[in-house]
Amino acid sequence: MKLHSHTPPPSALIFFFTTALLLLCPTESSQPPYSCDSSPPSTSSYPFCKTTLPIYKRVRDLVSRLTFDEKISQLVNSAPPIPRLGIPSYEWWSEALHGVADVGKGIKLYPTINNATSFPQVILTAASFNDHLWYRIGQVSPTHRVKKKNPSRLRSVIGTEARAVYNAGQATGMTFWAPNINIFRDPRWGRGQETPGEDPTVAGRYAVSYVRGVQGYSFFGGKHKLGAGGRLQASACCKHFTAYDLDNWNNVTRFRFDARVTQQDLADTYHPPFQKCVQEGQASGIMCAYNRVNGVPSCADYNLLTKVARGQWDFHGYITSDCDAVSIIHDMQGYAKKPEDAVADVLKAVEQKKLNVSKIDRALHNLFSVRMRLGLFDGNPLKQPYGTIGPDQVCSKVHQALALEAARDGIVLLKNSGRLLPLPKAKAISLAVIGPLANASEALLGNYHEALEDYAKDIISHPGCDSVQCPQAAFDEAVGTAKEADYLVLIVGLDQSQEREGHDRLHLELPGKQQQLITSVAKVAKKPVVLVILSGGPVDISFAKFDKKVGSILWAGYPGEAGGIALAEIIFGDHNPGGRLPMAWYTQDYVKMPMTDMRIRPHPKTGYLGRTYRFYAGRKLFDFGYGLSYSNYVHEFASAESQNKLYLNESSISPTAKSSDSGRYQLVQDLGEEFCEKKKLPVRVGVQNHGEMAGKHPVLLFVGEKNPKNGRPMKQLVGFQSVILNAGERAEVEFVLSPCEHLSHPNEQGLMVVEEGSYFLGVGDVEYPLDIIV
């Protein structure tokens, strides 16, 4: 079976939960317009068509009218029509990770609308560290500051284009299985490119921004209770819940993999993005993962789906399995002895594993509630609030400009020796572009050659290798090309043959002979070369970092439709790079750890180095949050408004501190919401642009310890803001630090605690001491 990047196979099986239900997907789906058409009174008069009623009452009426067979038929991704009630077919599977796509069954990009805006792959968008950008997928104008806008009035491009496709009659569903907010735990993971990176704070903020934008909520959120409206522009589904970050490594596949995860790691790494997605983003869907977690398949885990998601987090949407996930519970994982047992486990008919119709009704309530919130049971959609969104709003010039801004803001400058970049804007210069990705339309999408022609009159190019695999080492022609040009740009890296869904990498180095190509042409170039890396995951380019003939290095991810223009603007100085790595880049030594070891925290006694920048005790090539600029930004803490001691014991309502062998601590659950709110403190950070160019600069605030104990991280991102500063301009940004959220960590039981000790706040290369007394 062929797997497509970030998409399910066509023969998908889908399971919807209250818990959940398993059924085979129909192979065909019709495309009728909408429910509750006013022309036949027999259908529009039903209570479920009355928009004045609360949604829960409308859904209850609809479900009560369904026969048992009709109920069963609606529990698949391709739900058939119910003609006698005027209900059209519905397709739940659509994709929109970085733009509305037609790889799912719900979207058809023809005949009126033929394409949609393609933004950078998520890992590059995350590198902007700008949640306003994530919400809108770019601001209205790249020259306007966010503070001069009202983000609550901005529409998400993906949500808008999705609605336009539906209005044009080219969609049979408005539920999109995105975003992917799994932690990019191991740099070899083929799908890491789809995620916001390795940090749970970033992944959580990305989830909230994306979901609010797509679903049509304001940037600042707000509750959307089912009985109080909660209309959806489109429906977002956070995936894959939980601890999913291995596809196919050393013959270990996601279908059979049992992720052994500690409660401590679940509490502060794997679960937080999904908790944010549900509680703050108010996502209307969750997808459970293929893999098992501690022996139990995710899609059959009552504790995970019912107790945690629905119980602790108060989730009210639908839950879907990944494709074929429930059959895999029996076929591959052996968790259920018989196929029918797999169905029963997923349905969580706990007592004697029998199915109760009330569980089916509850699942149907979740499904039809989402469809009603989408306005699909309100009559003619063109007369509804989103009905005026037309084809002219798809791939418009404004949206194309947003795609360009997203690429610009994500690209990361990793090296710039001797200020090689930006290159001079002199039409007389000659430029050579060499590398297997020099004409990579699939990886780059944008036409870099035309973009570069705006800056250099004479451009010559050579692939150097026939493909990214670069199996041969005959570089004579490429070397000859390099000798002729004034400047040389090398475009190398990875593509979907190296990293994708269903395919993890075995090493972190450049494929084949790419390194030899780089060193061969750099050696003969007239000046130090510019090296551009296209990839989702990190690449060990230690040789280039320390090679004097490689003057500058840019990481451009997979930059979407405007990637070529964005690269050209950065290389020639029409844009000041400001991206920061959303994942540390590790050296080849990292692969000594098996991908199957899910532990986040290090274990010194066994030589296990841990995972992610927060805990990894090995060598990093570039750290998380690293990125250079053409400007020099200087940071300082406004200490007059800050404090360097935080007391959690000065109130009469403070609980008595607990003690352990390693010191004193407070359980966050004992402190209470009111106490935690009172103890929040403002942290003001000054930042000044000491360069000659204006730039957009992400300010990243970390909390850390010099000698962490008890499974505490070396450092942890707690906040970030993006500011635009002209040359010489200074600004202050304020963060609100919550000790219960930002200064806590889980104990071995997964309970959050605040421990007494000496910590520090860090921004850039500046640190500020902070002592906690409990």
Side-chain angles (χ1 to χ4, degrees), residues 124 127-128 405-416 419-423 552-556 566-581 626-633 689 693-698 722-723 725:
L124 188 71
S128 68
E405 184 183 357
R408 285 175 181 147
D409 290 356
I411 293 174
V412 182
L413 179 62
L414 297 173
K415 178 181 179 181
N416 199 23
R419 294 185 174 271
L420 173 64
L421 291 180
L423 299 183
S552 299
I553 304 175
L554 289 162
W555 173 64
L567 268 175
E569 290 183 347
I570 288 173
I571 289 173
F572 285 95
D574 277 345
H575 182 77
N576 192 351
R580 300 290 183 268
L581 291 178
Y626 177 81
L628 303 174
S629 170
Y630 297 153
S631 296
N632 177 35
Y633 296 97
N689 182 348
M693 292 182 64
K696 185 179 291 184
H697 176 63
S722 183
V723 296
L725 296 174

Side-chain angles (χ1 to χ4, degrees), residues 407-459:
R408 285 175 181 147
D409 290 356
I411 293 174
V412 182
L413 179 62
L414 297 173
K415 178 181 179 181
N416 199 23
S417 299
R419 294 185 174 271
L420 173 64
L421 291 180
L423 299 183
K425 297 178 186 176
K427 275 284 192 176
I429 70 168
S430 60
L431 181 69
V433 183
I434 294 176
L437 291 171
N439 289 295
S441 59
E442 290 187 5
L444 201 61
L445 287 180
N447 190 325
Y448 80 90
H449 198 279
E450 291 181 7
L452 291 173
E453 283 180 340
D454 290 339
Y455 298 95
K457 69 167 186 178
D458 185 12
I459 299 179

Side-chain angles (χ1 to χ4, degrees), residues 147 636-639 641 683-688 699 721 723 725 729-735:
K147 69 181 182 181
E636 62 178 351
F637 284 94
S639 57
E641 296 185 33
V683 176
R684 297 190 66 83
V685 176
V687 55
Q688 186 168 12
V699 181
Q721 295 185 39
V723 296
L725 296 174
E729 187 178 4
R730 182 185 183 277
E732 286 191 357
V733 295
E734 180 174 290
F735 298 91

Side-chain angles (χ1 to χ4, degrees), residues 544-603:
K545 180 179 179 179
F546 301 108
D547 188 344
K548 293 181 180 179
K549 291 293 290 181
V550 178
S552 299
I553 304 175
L554 289 162
W555 173 64
Y558 298 122
E561 67 178 43
I565 298 173
L567 268 175
E569 290 183 347
I570 288 173
I571 289 173
F572 285 95
D574 277 345
H575 182 77
N576 192 351
R580 300 290 183 268
L581 291 178
M583 180 175 187
W585 280 32
Y586 304 94
T587 63
Q588 177 63 14
D589 290 342
Y590 190 99
V591 303
K592 294 177 181 178
M593 294 188 295
M595 274 193 77
T596 50
D597 196 324
M598 299 292 290
R599 289 176 295 171
I600 298 296
R601 287 158 168 82
H603 195 269

Side-chain angles (χ1 to χ4, degrees), residues 29 91 127 154 194 227 241 255 271 277 407 435 493 522 543 556 603 605 661:
S29 62
E91 178 56 58
L154 300 176
E194 301 175 21
F241 190 45
F255 308 121
H271 276 181
C277 174
F543 74 95
H603 195 269
K605 290 183 179 180
D661 293 339

